[in-house]
Amino acid sequence: MTPSQTHLPSRHALPSMSSLWSLRVPSASLQPCVCVLKHRVFSNLRTEFGSNRENVRWNEVRSDGRFVLRAVADPVSSSEPNSDQEEVVKSEGGDPFAKFYGIVTSLPPVVYVMKSKSRAGYAFGLCVVTAFVFVVMRVFAARRANHNRSGSVADLVRRGQLRSDRRVKVGKRNSTLEMCGKVYRLAPVTLTKEQQAIHKKRRSRAYQWKRPTMFLKEGDMIPPDVDPDTVRWIPANHPFATTASDIDEDLAQTNVYQKHGVPFRIQAEHEELQRKLEALQMDQKLDKLVIDRKNAQDFERPYKFQASPLDGEQNGSHNQSSNSSESEHSSSSSSISQSSAEEIQKQ
Amino acid sequence: MASKGKPARATLVDVGVKNTRPLTQPPPLPFLAAQLCSSFIRPLSLSLSLSLPSNASSAGAPNLSSTSKLFSFSNPIKTLKPLRPKHPPPIQSVLQWNRKPQLAGETPRVVVITSGKGGVGKTTTTANVGLSLARLGFSVVAIDADVGLRNLDLLLGLENRVNYTVVEVLNGDCRLDQALVRDKRWSNFELLCISKPRSKLPIGFGGKALVWLVDALKSRQEGSPDFIIIDCPAGIDAGFITAITPANEAVLVTTPDITSLRDADRVIGLLECDGIRDIKMIVNRVRTDMIKGEDMMSVLDVQEMLGLALLGLIPEDSEVIRSTNRGYPLVLNKPPTLAGLAFEQAAWRLVEQDSMKAVMMEEEPKKRGFFSLFGG
């Protein structure tokens, strides 16, 4: 048995003591504990291997309530494992002052630390200073290079020839792409022509479709020479299902192809109006026109609201009848004829 | 389940453009990566099990496991495990810094923007892609073919300038050039509405009228427009049939949800039956946070289910609502938003008849080095 092993308590007292101790002083005692435990294992191994090499065996680290603390006061003595100065602090949880004293004594003295690490610290400091100087020089050089760079893409951006916000940057290995401040990883598309052909084949089997060439409203009769498969039935309220158009197909096509001149309908209306006026003038119907006083009252707006409701109804019915009988241009022609009649009357 | 290590079949390389023609007008923007994509993917699968053959040799055995679940197919086909390459090939990308998009295909290119489901962003896509094309220097005519429920004029802020529509043109009340509303911000962008909100279109004229319109636009004095973009109404009834009639290519807008995907698949089927072969898709309203949390399908999942080439990916952006309210499309915003940039890139690919070759995953915010603290 080594001297260090003599400090070990019996195994029966282990659990309760250690739990108590760890509960009470958890943080402050952690470092000495580890240090001492290491040391103990080390010293145990040393003693086991050194003194009695035939009986080499591993001594398990046993955590117990007692902590062996070693103060590294003397470097010479600490180099010798057999002459370790160890101090056992019984952590029975009763005396906090003793615990604190143990912690303080376990810490290495500052002077020793400074002495032992002065050379290493100096080297480290030199490295830090060198790195800092290097970084500063690099930044300085980069800024200077930025200012002096001419003819590059950045220069084009600065001059407004290129738009920096639309630039897409591709990585060196073409595996990444930078766009709008985000970096994306590229992956190849795997669809092949063969796969496309397979899909086409599948769809051609699945969707047998013949383009409808005739649109019929629901309820209409299919013309005799039409294939029923090409008929598309349209509900009566569909935008396509209007009533028969007053314009035929050829005329519509001509209208679409018309590039110059007055559009067909405008010209037709104009010609119609012109024809009417000419007819009126030729037939001298203007002289025979009789002024309708009720119609004339329509133009006298300030007095209109004083008219009786009966008059209003009569006027409305008259507009309706005129609207129903005549188209827009005919109503405009009637107003023209009325105004011309008034002029005649004045004369 | 979709595997992590899918073989990288396509790489981002410069585009082989067909029938290109040089532009005389410089593009309005110094423009960015046309080939680059803005997609937000989730590498793994989600609740829908998706397994597609990843090698060409498996093309003979069509794998419909994902679509059969979604679209009620009962085709017992053996699924093949995707091969996992040990070293996936590197992604190559080319930034198109110093070049303008080259127009591919014959002009005018008549593109219908459709979806099947309503509310997925057809009109927003039409407005933004249309204006992006105009900003790239192409002349564009956008036709709002939504007969009863037109909204494109609102998104463009041109609602007060729509006096005549196609219905008036057909009736002879005005000429076609009078019905075209020219955008004052970009004079090579014009809007044409089919009808006023409460007016009705003659029953037999729908599709024919649009064909006449396209023909008339081709033979305009100032020249044929480069693009005619048709905003298709939702659904697959008469309005849809009318809108797709003159189109020779289609852009399908979808969101990464299962209802939208089912409608989209049906619409693609109808478009293919109608003879429109060039169909690409835009996945709209992609939310990276939901994809990360495996609550939303990733873009690659959507692509596997529909089997369409990707034209673009538009992230969910609150700026969309603001721009709609202002009548000021996203692509005109300064500074640009993510969604606006994504629309611009989609427009670029549309010009070149290209599709996305790579998608991207959202990563952590940009990493900065230690010296960035000191300004390095």
Side-chain angles (χ1 to χ4, degrees), chain A residues 139 166 174 177 183 185 187 189 192 195 199 202-203 207 211 239-240 242 249 255 259 261 263 265, chain B residues 9 32 53 91 93 170 172-173 175 200 219 245 265 273-274 304-306 344 357 359-361 363 374:
Chain A
V139 169
R166 285 185 187 271
N174 278 327
L177 177 76
V183 180
R185 185 156 57 83
V189 166
T192 59
Q195 288 170 354
H199 277 282
R202 172 184 64 77
R203 277 191 287 261
Y207 308 120
R211 165 192 276 277
F240 275 51
T242 55
E249 196 172 316
N255 290 338
K259 290 189 176 58
R265 188 178 286 263
Chain B
R9 299 232 155 255
L32 32 106
I91 302 162
S93 57
L170 289 170
D173 291 326
R175 293 190 311 271
K200 296 182 174 183
S219 58
T245 304
D265 193 75
C273 288
D274 199 47
E304 280 185 357
M305 293 172 78
L306 295 180
E344 281 180 343
K357 302 293 187 297
V359 290
M360 59 191 202
M361 305 166 62
E363 264 195 354
F374 303 99

Side-chain angles (χ1 to χ4, degrees), chain A residues 124-135:
Chain A
F124 180 74
L126 190 65
C127 287
V128 167
V129 169
T130 312
F132 184 75
V133 170
F134 175 74
V135 166

Side-chain angles (χ1 to χ4, degrees), chain B residues 184-226:
Chain B
K184 287 177 181 171
R185 296 165 292 201
W186 295 96
S187 59
N188 47 353
F189 181 88
E190 288 166 304
L191 171 70
L192 180 64
C193 296
I194 285 281
S195 68
K196 287 179 178 168
R198 281 181 294 276
S199 66
K200 296 182 174 183
L201 196 67
I203 198 165
F205 284 0
K208 286 177 193 169
L210 280 186
V211 173
W212 299 335
L213 282 173
V214 169
D215 286 342
L217 288 171
K218 271 184 197 174
S219 58
R220 277 201 305 182
Q221 265 192 337
E222 56 263 42
S224 164
D226 296 315

Side-chain angles (χ1 to χ4, degrees), chain A residues 8 12 16 32 54 76 82 94 117 152 166-167 170 200 203 206 229 247 255 274 287 289 295 318:
Chain A
L8 289 172
H12 316 305
S16 61
E54 287 88 13
V76 178
N82 290 331
K117 304 207 171 178
S152 64
R166 285 185 187 271
R167 291 187 59 194
V170 180
K200 271 189 183 176
R203 277 191 287 261
D229 289 343
I247 194 163
N255 290 338
Q274 191 76 25
D287 298 333
L289 280 176
N295 277 339
H318 177 77

Side-chain angles (χ1 to χ4, degrees), chain B residues 37-111:
Chain B
C37 56
S38 45
S39 128
F40 304 84
I41 62 163
R42 178 170 57 82
L44 286 177
S45 60
L46 24 99
S47 54
L48 283 168
S49 64
L50 299 166
S51 56
L52 283 175
S54 58
N55 52 351
S57 61
S58 62
N63 185 345
L64 304 174
S65 62
S66 61
T67 44
S68 62
K69 283 182 185 176
L70 180 56
F71 307 112
S72 307
F73 275 73
S74 57
N75 203 354
I77 294 169
K78 195 178 177 183
T79 56
L80 298 175
K81 274 191 176 178
L83 296 174
R84 295 186 178 189
K86 287 180 184 174
H87 303 289
I91 302 162
Q92 297 175 7
S93 57
V94 174
L95 274 178
Q96 317 279 325
W97 283 96
N98 299 318
R99 100 181 164 80
K100 43 203 171 189
Q102 290 186 308
L103 185 59
E106 291 178 4
T107 55
R109 283 176 53 190
V110 187
V111 185

Side-chain angles (χ1 to χ4, degrees), chain A residues 103-118:
Chain A
I103 292 165
V104 169
T105 50
S106 69
L107 293 173
V110 178
V111 178
Y112 166 71
V113 171
M114 284 185 69
K115 270 185 185 176
S116 64
K117 304 207 171 178
S118 61

